[in-house]
Amino acid sequence: MQPLLRGLAVTAQQLREDRILEEAAVTGGDPQHLCAVFNITPETGLRYTRFFHPDPTDSDEVSGCNMETS
């Protein structure tokens, strides 16, 4: 994959995060679905879900950058 991405303005990690966010948007932010499809932990799935359904009482701001930890 590295040779295919060489010279592009994005990294493989950024492309993966974008794909997960797109899937979350299409499925309504279902964390269980994201975990199954992308093999991520439940905590990570919930972080992507919060991008679309933020908790107003949550003090942590969720952004589309560097969201994935697993």
Side-chain angles (χ1 to χ4, degrees), residues 20 29-36 39-51 58 60 62-63 66-70:
I20 295 171
D30 179 3
Q32 222 172 10
H33 175 79
L34 298 176
C35 292
N39 194 31
I40 56 177
T41 65
E43 292 80 14
T44 302
L46 285 171
R47 286 176 54 211
Y48 281 101
T49 298
R50 283 190 209 112
F51 184 82
D58 194 0
D60 294 329
V62 179
S63 70
N66 300 320
M67 293 181 66
E68 189 167 358
T69 59
S70 61

Side-chain angles (χ1 to χ4, degrees), residues 4-64:
L4 294 173
L5 297 175
R6 194 170 297 129
L8 295 179
V10 297
T11 65
Q13 181 66 27
Q14 290 169 323
L15 289 173
R16 179 173 167 81
E17 289 173 356
D18 184 67
R19 180 65 192 101
I20 295 171
L21 286 170
E22 179 66 25
E23 187 73 17
V26 170
T27 62
D30 179 3
Q32 222 172 10
H33 175 79
L34 298 176
C35 292
V37 172
F38 295 101
N39 194 31
I40 56 177
T41 65
E43 292 80 14
T44 302
L46 285 171
R47 286 176 54 211
Y48 281 101
T49 298
R50 283 190 209 112
F51 184 82
F52 293 98
H53 305 289
D55 182 353
T57 63
D58 194 0
S59 62
D60 294 329
E61 185 177 324
V62 179
S63 70

